[in-house]
Amino acid sequence: MSDDVREDDIKKAEFGPEAGPETISINMAVERESKSRVPRIFKAQAFQIFIVLIVIVIIFSIMAPNTFAQLSNLRLVVQNASILGVLGVGMTFIIITSGIDLSVGSVLVFSGVVSAMVMRAVGGDGWGVATIGILVAIASGLAWGIFNGLLISKAKVPPLIVTLGSLGMALGLAQIITGGIDIRQVPSVLTSTIGYGNVLGGIPIISVIALVVILIGAFVLHKTKFGLYTYAIGSSEEAARRVGVKVDRHLIKVYGMSGALAGVAGILSLSQFSTTAIAGQSQTNLNVIAAVVIGGTSLFGGYGTIFGTVVGLFIPAVLQNGFVITGVQPFWQQVAVGAVLIAAVYVDQVRRASAARGASTSLWRHFFARRKNT
Amino acid sequence: MSTPVLEARGISRAFGHVRALDDLDFEVYPGEVTALIGDNGAGKSTLVKALSGNLAIDTGTITFEGEEIQLTTPMQASALGIETVHQDLALAPHLDPVQNMYLGREVMNKGIAGFFGTMNTKAMAKESRRAFDELGATVRSLTSPVGSMSGGQRQAIAIARAVHWANKVVFLDEPTAALGVRQTKNVLETIRRVRDKGIAVVFISHSMPHVMEVSDRIQVLRLGHRAASLDAKDTNMEELVGLMTGASTRGAA
């Protein structure tokens, strides 16, 4: 650790031999930091998982250069991950507050069902009815999100229980209002644009929508006060409350946002599949949570990135696609994703433990260069 | 003697049938370090909570610069220039020192409708560095999470934050309890510097040597009541311990 040696020398020169590790002046610290600004990115868990994704892509590309490593195949993978991407943004915010939202899949179905019924009742095939449908879907998703948020923040019921309850309620209500039969009348303007339309010669519109949601989500999380308060609440609710952050209101907003995004996903799903697919979303919540966690967001709150979530989404998606193409039984995907998930949480545990000890949080160092001294 | 910046007259607060504060008087003067001492359960923390807006009082009045006020939220106290460093520090461990410093009071760039405005991190970092430097606080890094820092550094950040925002009164609840010798020296030095800026410092401690070293005035609590208010120059440790335990009485208010 040449770094430490250098520090020690400077310290002795400035403060005399008895100065310990705590008396490093701020100016020196800043100087040291600016030197190591670039490697900081490489230490992030999201970046490490990104490397894993690249490795997976390279392996499949070598195994199936003519089928896997084609633009059309890549396009398919991206298109299939788009809906989960929209849900993942909301879920990332929620998990950073140290909460969880199990209801996203059901809320997606509920919003789709209500929206489809309203559009069927209004009738027509144009953008007018589609706009009404989109607004209805987002509003019903938002309503479920606010319902979750109110119970979690005001009634103090744990998020796991509240959203497990609303998972059942939203799905049940969706089945009650449809009588359990999927609605298949979706305005053709939705299916032909959002569903399978392309822009710029081959980029699916549904993926463009997801990308916009992701970019806005990343901006809000990393650059605004709203995002900072999300981290602060997940890190220490008490600390946030004491400095005047309106914790309850913020949690309601975060769950509301996740619900509204589930509403958006409901419209995307309706457009893509031309059906409400009531039974088709039972695994969605777990897939989204797995993606967020694989992406390095800590289930204990206070830590996470939108970039990580996007990468975390593509690992299962690429594995599934790659296994099918290379002729491996696709069931292996579930096994592989399970293993990646556990590995990701293990990595988070290691990181948190070393952070608590005040040690370096770099994983490379943890795995490859165990320190001999101290 | 000038007028007190913050004054409590006859305040009481009961939890069930335990009277945590019992007709208590207390005052702090600008530019002075007031030590608040007492045995466990004497009411020190309850008093600090009441005077920092964290706890409502049952009876009695609180006056701030001569005017009677109602303190119901910590935000109200902050607006008056009263800040508190709690024993648990109340820092968010995943955020860095700058984010903690400005949490709830971020400096914003002009944005759209205020909500989508971005934070001016550069200005906040610059100002934080100045605040840490001013206190001689030794913060290793402005961009590492606070949770990865030592107890002394976290203490320094918490104190720097309180001092940065307080321009009238700072409450320090056991700021030296978990610190080593050198860090304790830093904190006591910081207390003096804050006082020299004209801010009233209320220093709560169990350590009589620290109290004697840094205070101008010492107020002793016993069983929710003020047992004595003394000038630090004309008392000694034996007397203070006697007053805390009730073995002796003097100058009771």
Side-chain angles (χ1 to χ4, degrees):
Chain A
M1 282 299 297
S2 62
D3 238 24
D4 284 353
V5 173
R6 208 186 64 233
E7 255 170 53
D8 272 323
D9 290 342
I10 303 168
K11 242 169 359 201
K12 270 176 197 156
E14 260 191 54
F15 301 99
E18 63 278 298
E22 250 135 54
T23 31
I24 304 166
S25 82
I26 286 165
N27 289 333
M28 283 164 51
V30 168
E31 219 177 296
R32 239 160 49 81
E33 252 166 49
S34 55
K35 274 182 210 150
S36 63
R37 170 122 318 169
V38 179
R40 182 177 285 273
I41 306 166
F42 299 100
K43 286 181 191 166
Q45 190 173 343
F47 187 80
Q48 291 160 357
I49 208 82
F50 182 61
I51 306 266
V52 172
L53 176 64
I54 298 291
V55 169
I56 295 172
V57 169
I58 290 172
I59 291 172
F60 281 129
S61 299
I62 294 167
M63 288 171 75
N66 297 323
T67 41
F68 179 83
Q70 294 297 315
L71 212 57
S72 58
N73 185 50
L74 185 77
R75 186 177 162 280
L76 189 72
V77 173
V78 170
Q79 189 169 15
N80 288 341
S82 297
I83 291 178
L84 292 182
V86 171
L87 295 171
V89 171
M91 190 68 81
T92 308
F93 275 83
I94 286 182
I95 294 183
I96 288 174
T97 68
S98 77
I100 197 94
D101 189 352
L102 297 175
S103 70
V104 285
S106 296
V107 171
L108 183 161
V109 168
F110 180 88
S111 309
V113 162
V114 173
S115 167
M117 294 192 81
V118 169
M119 286 192 288
R120 188 170 64 181
V122 174
D125 239 1
W127 272 113
V129 64
T131 309
I132 294 171
I134 290 168
L135 293 177
V136 166
I138 295 174
S140 29
L142 182 66
W144 278 109
I146 290 173
F147 173 78
N148 285 338
L150 279 172
L151 285 173
I152 289 160
S153 62
K154 299 289 183 193
K156 311 282 176 209
V157 184
L160 187 80
I161 301 303
V162 170
T163 58
L164 186 61
S166 52
L167 173 152
M169 289 162 72
L171 191 61
L173 286 173
Q175 284 165 327
I176 290 168
I177 46 183
T178 56
I181 301 152
D182 278 318
I183 299 166
R184 292 173 191 281
Q185 294 115 296
V186 179
S188 57
V189 65
L190 279 179
T191 50
S192 65
T193 54
I194 298 173
Y196 47 85
N198 293 306
V199 287
L200 299 173
I203 303 169
I205 291 178
I206 196 168
S207 304
V208 174
I209 294 171
L211 184 68
V212 169
V213 170
I214 287 163
L215 290 178
I216 293 174
F219 174 78
V220 171
L221 181 62
H222 299 298
K223 292 289 172 199
T224 69
K225 217 156 97 156
F226 186 85
L228 180 65
Y229 289 177
T230 306
Y231 284 107
I233 290 169
S235 182
S236 166
E237 200 177 313
E238 188 58 29
R241 218 182 277 279
R242 285 217 189 120
V243 295
V245 174
K246 295 185 177 70
V247 173
D248 292 357
R249 198 184 296 177
H250 193 86
L251 283 175
I252 294 169
K253 282 185 199 165
V254 168
Y255 280 90
M257 185 183 78
S258 175
L261 287 174
V264 172
I267 271 291
L268 298 184
S269 164
L270 208 55
S271 310
Q272 193 173 22
F273 303 114
S274 300
T275 168
T276 46
I278 294 172
Q281 303 290 349
S282 56
Q283 298 279 309
T284 304
N285 53 2
L286 298 181
N287 289 338
V288 173
I289 292 167
V292 173
V293 172
I294 288 172
T297 297
S298 172
L299 280 169
F300 301 90
Y303 185 87
T305 59
I306 298 280
F307 173 70
T309 299
V310 174
V311 176
L313 270 174
F314 277 112
I315 286 186
V318 168
L319 281 175
Q320 170 106 47
N321 179 273
F323 283 152
V324 171
I325 284 178
T326 54
V328 180
Q329 268 195 325
F331 304 119
W332 279 106
Q333 184 254 6
Q334 294 171 35
V335 178
V337 170
V340 173
L341 180 66
I342 292 170
V345 174
Y346 168 71
V347 164
D348 179 50
Q349 290 285 19
V350 170
R351 191 186 52 75
R352 290 187 326 118
S354 59
R357 284 197 311 270
S360 156
T361 55
S362 163
L363 269 176
W364 300 128
R365 185 172 295 167
H366 175 80
F367 286 128
F368 301 119
R370 276 183 194 283
R371 294 172 66 177
K372 285 158 210 103
N373 55 341
T374 63
Chain B
M1 190 184 289
S2 54
T3 53
V5 54
L6 187 65
E7 191 177 12
R9 280 282 159 259
I11 60 170
S12 299
R13 167 74 202 220
F15 297 104
H17 47 254
V18 180
R19 294 179 73 83
L21 300 177
D22 185 9
D23 190 25
L24 180 104
D25 295 337
F26 183 76
E27 63 277 321
V28 281
Y29 294 90
E32 274 193 10
V33 178
T34 305
L36 180 58
I37 62 171
D39 207 353
N40 289 339
K44 305 186 296 290
S45 291
T46 312
L47 178 61
V48 171
K49 279 184 190 159
L51 293 181
S52 60
N54 282 301
L55 186 78
I57 51 171
D58 296 334
T59 56
T61 57
I62 298 171
T63 54
F64 179 77
E65 296 190 317
E67 277 178 48
E68 192 173 328
I69 51 163
Q70 303 288 331
L71 278 178
T72 49
T73 67
M75 272 37 82
Q76 231 179 338
S78 291
L80 293 170
I82 303 170
E83 292 288 333
T84 309
V85 178
H86 297 276
Q87 230 171 318
D88 61 8
L89 304 182
L91 297 171
H94 296 83
L95 304 187
D96 67 35
V98 178
Q99 289 170 329
N100 267 296
M101 185 96 172
Y102 278 87
L103 191 60
R105 297 183 254 224
E106 292 78 7
V107 177
M108 304 300 287
N109 293 321
K110 270 179 232 134
I112 310 149
F115 187 74
F116 282 105
T118 51
M119 292 174 287
N120 190 342
T121 38
K122 243 180 222 166
M124 289 194 278
K126 199 172 152 212
E127 192 56 27
S128 302
R129 191 177 311 145
R130 201 190 57 72
F132 293 137
D133 280 345
E134 194 182 322
L135 290 179
T138 52
V139 177
R140 206 200 310 173
S141 157
L142 290 183
T143 53
S144 305
V146 167
S148 68
M149 297 181 180
S150 70
Q153 289 174 339
R154 278 187 248 186
Q155 189 83 54
I157 293 163
I159 293 176
R161 174 171 73 173
V163 170
H164 185 69
W165 297 110
N167 45 29
K168 298 294 181 188
V169 185
V170 177
F171 288 97
L172 300 172
D173 195 351
E174 300 261 10
T176 57
L179 299 185
V181 175
R182 196 182 56 247
Q183 290 88 339
T184 301
K185 225 177 109 198
N186 279 349
V187 168
L188 297 182
E189 187 53 38
T190 301
I191 290 173
R192 282 193 205 96
R193 285 196 221 187
V194 174
R195 173 195 62 195
D196 294 344
K197 286 167 74 179
I199 297 172
V201 181
V202 180
F203 174 54
I204 300 166
S205 182
H206 274 122
S207 163
M208 290 308 120
H210 297 161
V211 167
M212 294 303 292
E213 191 183 332
V214 81
S215 345
D216 300 300
R217 181 184 309 275
I218 300 171
Q219 313 222 7
V220 186
L221 294 195
R222 184 171 146 68
L223 304 174
H225 201 80
R226 181 161 71 183
S229 175
L230 310 164
D231 196 317
K233 281 188 289 291
D234 65 41
T235 183
N236 55 53
M237 285 190 218
E238 289 75 40
E239 185 184 28
L240 292 177
V241 173
L243 287 163
M244 276 164 60
T245 54
S248 63
T249 51
R250 192 190 88 162

